[in-house]
Amino acid sequence: MILRNLFTVGTFTAFLFAGSAFLHENQITKISTDVSSGNNGFAVLELFTSEGCSSCPPADELMGQLEEKYKDQPVYILSYHVDYWNRLGWKDRFSSAENSQRQQLYSRTLRSQTYTPQLVVNGTTGFVGSDRKATEHAIESVLLDSKNTDINLSATVSSKTISVTYKTTEADPQSKLLISLVEKKSSTQVSGGENEGHYLKHYQIVHKQEQIPLKDHPEGTTDFKLPENFSIKNWEIIAFIQNIKTGKISGAAKTEIQ
């Protein structure tokens, strides 16, 4: 496996964005009832990937397999498509500068290079995203050892927005609640770059992420713009609490479509 390291991280660009907090009227469809993350172990898997990287499809496929394998356990998978591959022949429609900036944060806290595919588990352990053995070992370890700080979530859909209501007892001034709008599955026929001619499948794609300081907002509501061609069964909300200094994730939860 050849890791694809396209650049060296220079000046760190702040990636933490304050989440909006407001309620919408005319909410018409319920995504989920209140969901509590409970107090057992959990695993948050963050994959940094790109449609322009020939080493990434195996990692993307592994995320789909793990999502199925651990579907009844507190394992939360988020795939961030980075944008720095876009200049090499193919623009990844799921990519964003915010996703690349998030990976840069991990390059700093983990003291690692920036490469794809990279997988980070619970904010503290990073390795090659297509390494099944390392990934499953990391999952099993944190499911046994970690303690999940309670997060309660609910979400509703209106004609234009998805509104997420959250509440947690976490009050650490160094912690933020990261709430992500996630598309469970999609695919692309690639016609340029390293994966030209390939039909790629993607899983647990992060489309937007709001980041809320818990010191000032331990409970509230944040909104996402309703995506185009939205299908309620193919989307979910994943939230987790992260220490912005150390990167450690202390709790996670998600809302499922009812």
Side-chain angles (χ1 to χ4, degrees):
M1 172 61 64
I2 300 175
L3 300 185
R4 308 314 304 273
N5 183 0
L6 286 190
F7 64 90
T8 301
V9 177
T11 302
F12 170 58
T13 304
F15 84 108
L16 297 172
F17 302 95
S20 58
F22 51 93
L23 290 169
H24 280 261
E25 297 179 352
N26 301 322
Q27 294 171 333
I28 58 175
T29 307
K30 192 81 170 177
I31 283 186
S32 72
T33 54
D34 288 346
V35 177
S36 174
S37 57
N39 295 312
N40 298 319
F42 68 97
V44 174
L45 278 59
E46 297 180 85
L47 175 70
F48 295 93
T49 185
S50 172
E51 290 183 342
C53 164
S54 61
S55 298
C56 288
D60 295 329
E61 189 64 30
L62 177 59
M63 294 305 105
Q65 294 168 2
L66 294 174
E67 179 70 14
E68 177 63 24
K69 178 177 180 177
Y70 293 100
K71 62 182 179 181
D72 297 323
Q73 298 186 55
V75 175
Y76 309 94
I77 299 174
L78 302 103
S79 294
Y80 301 89
H81 287 238
V82 297
D83 70 344
Y84 50 83
W85 276 93
N86 289 352
R87 64 182 183 269
L88 298 179
W90 178 255
K91 184 176 181 180
D92 187 337
R93 63 193 177 102
F94 300 114
S95 67
S96 71
E98 290 81 7
N99 290 344
S100 298
Q101 290 163 8
R102 179 157 183 78
Q103 188 180 26
Q104 290 175 28
L105 173 70
Y106 279 130
S107 293
R108 181 180 178 180
T109 58
L110 299 176
R111 299 180 181 179
S112 70
Q113 292 183 320
T114 300
Y115 61 89
T116 53
Q118 181 184 26
L119 188 67
V120 180
V121 179
N122 282 11
T124 57
T125 303
F127 46 83
V128 180
S130 55
D131 189 333
R132 176 186 293 273
K133 184 176 180 180
T135 302
E136 292 186 343
H137 176 74
I139 291 173
E140 298 300 334
S141 295
V142 294
L143 287 178
L144 291 174
D145 295 339
S146 58
K147 182 179 180 181
N148 199 352
T149 300
D150 190 67
I151 305 169
N152 288 293
L153 295 171
S154 63
T156 55
V157 177
S158 71
S159 60
K160 296 183 178 181
T161 62
I162 300 171
S163 294
V164 181
T165 300
Y166 67 89
K167 182 177 181 180
T168 179
T169 58
E170 177 63 57
D172 185 345
Q174 295 293 328
S175 292
K176 288 196 173 187
L177 181 67
L178 286 75
I179 303 178
S180 297
L181 175 63
V182 177
E183 186 176 10
K184 295 180 180 180
K185 185 177 181 180
S186 189
S187 59
T188 301
Q189 181 66 49
V190 178
S191 58
E194 290 191 358
N195 288 313
E196 182 176 1
H198 291 270
Y199 179 76
L200 304 182
K201 295 181 180 179
H202 307 301
Y203 303 89
Q204 298 299 110
I205 309 154
V206 175
H207 279 252
K208 184 66 176 178
Q209 188 175 80
E210 298 292 345
Q211 304 185 24
I212 303 167
L214 290 177
K215 179 182 178 181
D216 302 319
H217 304 285
E219 60 182 292
T221 300
T222 190
D223 294 333
F224 296 101
K225 181 180 178 181
L226 197 69
E228 295 183 4
N229 302 316
F230 176 77
S231 171
I232 199 168
K233 293 183 179 181
N234 196 40
W235 294 77
E236 66 184 2
I237 303 294
I238 295 178
F240 58 90
I241 299 168
Q242 186 168 41
N243 184 296
I244 61 175
K245 186 175 182 179
T246 67
K248 182 179 180 179
I249 296 173
S250 58
K254 68 179 179 181
T255 63
E256 295 289 354
I257 299 174
Q258 302 297 311

